Amino acid sequence: MSQFVHLHLHTQYSLLDGANKLPGVLERAAKLGQPAIAMTDHGNMHGAVEFYQEAKKLGIKPIIGCELYVTPGSRHERKMRTQGGAGTCHLTVLAANKVGYQNLCKLSSLAYREGFYFKPRVDHEILERYSEGLIVLSGCLAGELASATELDDYRGAKEVVEFYRRVFKDRFYLEVQPHPIKEQQKHNEAVVDLADSMGVPLVATTDCHYLEKDDHFAQEVLMCISTGKTVLDPDRLRHEGFRLHLKTEAEMIEELAHLKQGAEAVRNSGLIASQ
């Protein structure tokens, strides 16, 4: 059985972004021998019940999560970046138990009720308040940590890690992804250094948005609809160099083979799933 588990995965409930459909993505993971799978849609948990029920039918362990939009400022602030606002970052959050599920529901609800400004946002204050029972991964290139490493701000990166480790303790992991683009590779190297110096474990994800390799074009069409562009527009948003399909354990190990602790990061996905 595979030791790798997808812990960062988007379904059709990531509207006009995720191309994975339920139950198809669950059936594929089960066929690959993956013992568990997470659902981490953008800013919402709308598919949680369907995801849970369909996974149970297939005998694969469902892990309910969400890719929260976090503002480093206050969720009550209503300013764009051009006006001095803090902007938003992505954070991968998983419910480890019933309390964690309840807290994730509270965070998702408060993000809409109190924090909505273009996107449903949470801030550090409510992450601390509702931290019990949650496992947190540091996120993708749109995360707080990546925002610091992109600028070679090692001090700022350490501060981000220190905050999440203080709040979530041993339930915080540094996320690495195998995408062969220079920004990701630079971030991965910085994350490995932080893992070594601060004693925080790594975990491998791939930010899965679609099922098969050839589905990348369908996902790009969704993004075009979302951004009001056409596929012929040279300035449209695209995921050049990203392979966001449902990968096997062998693919993940191979794609992270160059990275120190890469194989360990892949195994850690299974360890997190067992929690």
Side-chain angles (χ1 to χ4, degrees):
M1 181 175 284
S2 170
Q3 295 183 60
F4 175 67
V5 171
H6 281 278
L7 298 177
H8 188 156
L9 180 141
H10 297 275
T11 72
Q12 74 263 34
Y13 289 97
S14 288
L15 189 62
L16 297 180
D17 188 12
N20 284 313
K21 294 182 180 179
L22 300 175
V25 66
L26 302 172
E27 293 168 346
R28 175 65 173 159
K31 186 175 181 181
L32 292 174
Q34 295 175 0
I37 190 169
M39 178 188 67
T40 59
D41 284 310
H42 284 301
N44 78 78
M45 299 169 64
H46 303 332
V49 173
E50 180 184 1
F51 169 78
Y52 181 88
Q53 292 174 338
E54 294 294 339
K56 284 295 188 180
K57 288 178 188 176
L58 293 166
I60 187 169
K61 182 179 182 178
I63 301 170
I64 296 173
C66 184
E67 187 171 34
L68 293 174
Y69 294 107
V70 180
T71 174
S74 168
R75 67 187 182 279
H76 300 292
E77 182 182 72
R78 299 292 185 269
K79 290 182 180 179
M80 294 185 290
R81 285 185 188 270
T82 55
Q83 299 171 319
T88 56
C89 301
H90 295 186
L91 186 71
T92 316
V93 184
L94 309 170
N97 50 37
K98 183 178 180 180
V99 173
Y101 173 72
Q102 292 170 335
N103 279 334
L104 192 55
C105 287
K106 289 174 183 175
L107 287 167
S108 178
S109 295
L110 287 170
Y112 280 94
R113 287 170 47 210
E114 298 182 357
F116 195 92
Y117 186 62
F118 294 96
K119 300 180 189 299
R121 306 170 306 156
V122 300
D123 58 16
H124 286 185
E125 188 265 319
I126 54 173
L127 283 173
E128 287 193 74
R129 192 192 312 170
Y130 298 113
S131 62
E132 185 181 353
L134 296 177
I135 295 172
V136 169
L137 319 183
S138 61
C140 60
L141 288 179
E144 281 181 84
L145 186 57
S147 296
T149 62
E150 180 185 10
L151 299 173
D152 298 316
D153 181 8
Y154 195 75
R155 181 177 178 179
K158 285 188 68 175
E159 289 174 355
V160 171
V161 174
E162 286 168 353
F163 168 78
Y164 284 101
R165 185 168 61 172
R166 175 176 62 79
V167 173
F168 296 96
K169 301 179 174 57
D170 61 352
R171 293 173 284 116
F172 176 61
Y173 293 79
L174 295 171
E175 192 170 346
V176 292
Q177 298 182 359
H179 313 304
I181 61 171
K182 62 181 181 180
E183 294 87 355
Q184 184 70 61
Q185 297 306 315
K186 175 184 176 179
H187 177 62
N188 285 351
E189 290 173 8
V191 166
V192 169
D193 288 344
L194 287 165
D196 286 341
S197 64
M198 302 183 74
V200 181
L202 297 174
V203 62
T205 73
T206 196
D207 199 2
C208 179
H209 277 67
Y210 44 85
L211 196 59
E212 304 285 355
K213 292 179 182 179
D214 292 341
D215 293 336
H216 71 91
F217 183 72
Q219 198 257 342
E220 289 189 15
V221 171
L222 290 178
M223 290 195 298
C224 284
I225 297 170
S226 174
T227 56
K229 301 285 187 178
T230 71
V231 292
L232 299 178
D233 192 327
D235 297 322
R236 68 178 172 87
L237 183 65
R238 62 185 73 210
H239 285 150
E240 292 285 354
F242 288 84
R243 296 191 287 265
L244 306 177
H245 61 285
L246 192 85
K247 293 175 183 173
T248 65
E249 179 180 53
E251 284 179 288
M252 290 296 292
I253 291 174
E254 180 182 357
E255 291 180 13
L256 288 168
H258 66 285
L259 191 70
K260 181 184 177 183
Q261 303 174 29
E264 180 183 346
V266 172
R267 289 193 300 271
N268 280 345
S269 67
L271 293 175
I272 292 171
S274 71
Q275 298 174 44

